[in-house]
Amino acid sequence: MTPQTRKKSDRRPNPLTREQIVQAAVGLLDTAGESGLTFRALSERLATGPGAIYWHVAGKSELLAAATDHAVSTALSEGAEAGLPGRIHDVALGLFHSIERHPWLAPQLTAQISHNPTGPVTTRIFEAVGRQVYALGVPASSWFTATSALMHYILGAAGQNAANLALARSLGPEADRDAYMDAVAAVWKQLSPQEFPFTRAVADHGLDHDDRAQFLVGIDLIIAGITAGRAR
């Protein structure tokens, strides 16, 4: 077998699609992070040349945007299938779990929403959350504010949860969550009672909690405020 023949046999037999490229990019981002997403690495994963990828995607920025949109679309689809239609919890948990699964997603969402508010990522999330706000009977004059509040809470809390998980992974398998929370509580209890009376009081009750349950409590608090405003 000649080198030319071997090289040819390594190539993929079927035409490459944009969807295949985006899915491969998501896989690379999950395992190697944004720095590991290169067209060379993507070419190796897809068994093709960079030219075939550039035919579908102009550059890394477009690829990151497409991967982010793919993750968001999947999250919203999974959220819609997770429970009854019209439930804000399903939308929120779909995004929460997707950001948890994809460590790169939270900063990409921040970038997309900040720099491309009319792009597909921002509008998909805003539409999904906004429909739930509409279903609550919120007055039209409050749609934007209520939807924005929920959207920012969902993405902010989910992003913080992902950051906490990343920290836990960096500490290694021997890390103990309960011991860590107890250590935080012990430090808080030593704070000045004049400057931090509330934080000390919270520490006295312990900091143990379920992140997912706490996340949903926050959703319910915002919804309670939205619906209370509607009743006035």
Side-chain angles (χ1 to χ4, degrees), residues 11 28 35-51 53-54 60 63:
R11 297 299 182 185
L28 266 177
S35 62
L37 180 62
T38 65
F39 275 65
R40 179 176 179 178
L42 199 56
S43 298
E44 292 176 356
R45 177 169 287 218
L46 291 167
T48 190
I53 299 175
Y54 279 113
K60 185 171 180 176
L63 189 57

Side-chain angles (χ1 to χ4, degrees), residues 16-100:
L16 190 64
T17 67
R18 180 181 172 90
E19 179 66 16
Q20 290 170 328
I21 294 170
V22 172
Q23 289 181 352
V26 170
L28 266 177
L29 286 164
D30 287 346
T31 57
E34 184 179 341
S35 62
L37 180 62
T38 65
F39 275 65
R40 179 176 179 178
L42 199 56
S43 298
E44 292 176 356
R45 177 169 287 218
L46 291 167
T48 190
I53 299 175
Y54 279 113
W55 179 263
H56 296 278
V57 182
K60 185 171 180 176
S61 294
E62 182 181 336
L63 189 57
L64 280 168
T68 304
D69 186 40
H70 176 84
V72 167
S73 298
T74 302
L76 295 176
S77 176
E78 290 175 352
E81 294 171 359
L84 298 173
R87 291 285 302 277
I88 185 62
H89 281 191
D90 297 334
V91 173
L93 283 175
L95 291 166
F96 183 85
H97 292 147
S98 186
I99 292 172
E100 189 175 73

